[in-house]
Amino acid sequence: MILRKLWLSAFVVLASSSLTAAQTYPTKLVRIIVPYAPGGGIDAFARAIAEGLSPKWGQSVIVENKPGASTFLGTTQVAKAAPDGHTLLLTSESTITSNPFLFASLPYDISRELTPISQLVSLPQMVVANTSVAAASIKELVEQARKDSSRLNYASYGSGSLPHLFFEGLNKTTGASIAQAPYKGIIPAVAATAGGEVQLTLVGTALAQPQMQAGRIKPLAVVGDRRLPELPQVMTLTEAGLGEIDPGVSWFGLFMTGGSPAGLPEKIAKDVADLFADPAVRDKYVTARAMTPIFSTPQAFSELIITDMQRMERLIKLTGAKGEQ
């Protein structure tokens, strides 16, 4: 039901676009709410957007960080804001595709109170291992784990995090029993894997690259449907026969308060895409951070969300994971 509501709401917006609202927007200060702490990659990305759009729009565009409660705090602020398009949400996929299935209830209705604007970028993820692990691929890891999982554990950043969902899915589907070691975020989880405190984790390529270059970790598989151009020898989870537990590619996406004037999602999506069409801006904030530029239309983003929600619902049901606040 929630998927159908989201689908219909997205296309109602698209079908009733209003040129008047798009031509006059914005008429006052615009807030971009980031439901994460300052200083991270998503925060820097939001500030690049604010800096670029302020002169283009002739209005101040500011970033407000509202971290906490599994992104509920910041997301709720946008969902409950005045429906005029002047309060935006820049968040990662877990807010939209995982939280509805990890928590018994949410303080907002994503199908009615949030409208998709654009998938901005994708962030390729990899299954990585400390270099002391004998396995050279995910297939070899599965074979090793089936024989003896007692010397294997994985770093996560809590129940419901992508590493937790993936490795618990791996345990369920292969009969392995790789143990979880929770850390307070992905950065300490990667550091623990590189330092040998744990053997495995799932991480974005941007964080993995320095440790791979230092020879502390190695890639075993790529999340998503395509191999990475920079690591063409590393197979995808689907190629390894593990597509059922593939959590999907991570992304950053832009949303507005549901019920805002029609036509605004398309205008904002286009203006942000135009900003990053500048090679200097795109290289500095996207490719240099190992992200893939997308800058999709609202329609394409809505379709992606529905597909990703279906994928996450299956994986969360398989693992029985519950969210943490």
Side-chain angles (χ1 to χ4, degrees), residues 2 33 39 45 59 68 77 82 94 119 124 129 161 177 217 223 238-239 288 299 316 318:
I2 193 169
I33 307 301
F45 196 72
Q59 295 285 350
Q77 179 175 341
S94 61
Q119 178 196 3
S161 64
S177 55
I217 62 174
V223 172
T238 299
E239 290 174 321
Q299 179 175 353
I316 290 168
L318 174 67

Side-chain angles (χ1 to χ4, degrees), residues 73-98:
L73 295 182
T75 304
T76 300
Q77 179 175 341
V78 178
K80 306 301 182 183
D84 58 11
H86 289 78
T87 305
L88 308 179
L89 174 71
L90 202 165
T91 191
S92 66
E93 79 291 338
S94 61
T95 298
I96 306 298
T97 65
S98 301

Side-chain angles (χ1 to χ4, degrees), residues 1-324:
M1 181 61 72
I2 193 169
L3 296 172
R4 180 171 175 76
K5 283 182 180 178
L6 179 59
W7 180 279
L8 290 176
S9 68
F11 282 94
V12 166
V13 169
L14 291 166
S16 59
S17 296
S18 167
L19 289 176
T20 301
Q23 289 169 350
T24 59
Y25 176 89
T27 58
K28 59 182 180 180
L29 179 145
V30 176
R31 289 179 169 85
I32 301 176
I33 307 301
V34 176
Y36 297 96
I42 194 167
D43 178 61
F45 196 72
R47 293 180 189 281
I49 292 175
E51 181 181 339
L53 290 183
S54 289
K56 182 178 182 68
W57 285 349
Q59 295 285 350
S60 295
V61 182
I62 64 172
V63 175
E64 293 184 3
N65 298 89
K66 297 287 183 180
S70 298
T71 73
F72 285 4
L73 295 182
T75 304
T76 300
Q77 179 175 341
V78 178
K80 306 301 182 183
D84 58 11
H86 289 78
T87 305
L88 308 179
L89 174 71
L90 202 165
T91 191
S92 66
E93 79 291 338
S94 61
T95 298
I96 306 298
T97 65
S98 301
N99 281 357
F101 307 111
L102 289 170
F103 298 92
S105 63
L106 300 178
Y108 47 84
D109 183 336
I110 64 170
S111 64
R112 292 188 304 104
E113 296 182 305
L114 293 174
T115 296
I117 295 174
S118 179
Q119 178 196 3
L120 303 175
V121 296
S122 65
L123 297 86
Q125 304 279 311
M126 295 187 296
V127 182
V128 299
N130 183 275
T131 50
S132 65
V133 174
S137 69
I138 192 69
K139 285 185 175 180
E140 292 182 10
L141 177 70
V142 169
E143 293 175 5
Q144 180 181 342
R146 281 173 173 162
K147 294 175 182 176
D148 180 13
S149 300
S150 62
R151 297 184 180 181
L152 293 173
N153 50 29
Y154 69 90
S156 78
Y157 40 103
S159 179
S161 64
L162 285 183
H164 173 249
L165 292 174
F166 170 73
F167 283 102
E168 291 307 313
L170 188 71
N171 285 341
K172 293 278 188 181
T173 56
T174 66
S177 55
I178 304 172
Q180 179 181 202
Y183 288 81
K184 294 182 179 180
I186 187 59
I187 292 176
V190 175
T193 308
E197 294 177 21
V198 295
Q199 287 69 52
L200 304 157
T201 195
L202 188 147
V203 63
T205 54
L207 286 178
Q209 282 178 345
Q211 300 291 1
M212 288 193 297
Q213 292 168 355
R216 299 187 183 100
I217 62 174
K218 58 185 177 182
L220 300 183
V222 173
V223 172
D225 299 327
R226 300 178 181 178
R227 296 193 182 196
L228 298 179
E230 62 268 32
L231 294 169
Q233 77 282 7
V234 181
M235 69 177 63
T236 68
L237 291 175
T238 299
E239 290 174 321
L242 298 170
E244 179 184 2
I245 60 171
D246 188 326
V249 175
S250 293
W251 45 257
F252 294 163
L254 196 61
F255 298 80
M256 64 168 39
T257 308
S260 295
L264 295 189
E266 294 84 353
K267 171 183 170 52
I268 296 171
K270 182 180 184 304
D271 287 350
V272 173
D274 289 347
L275 173 64
F276 285 90
D278 181 338
V281 176
R282 186 175 62 250
D283 292 346
K284 180 178 180 179
Y285 292 103
V286 180
T287 53
R289 298 171 184 263
M291 297 186 289
T292 302
I294 304 293
F295 302 106
S296 68
T297 64
Q299 179 175 353
F301 190 27
S302 299
E303 293 170 351
L304 171 77
I305 289 169
I306 293 169
T307 299
D308 281 0
M309 288 182 75
Q310 292 170 333
R311 183 200 303 265
M312 292 307 299
E313 182 180 23
R314 289 193 299 267
L315 184 54
I316 290 168
K317 283 183 176 179
L318 174 67
T319 62
K322 300 294 183 183
E324 298 177 350

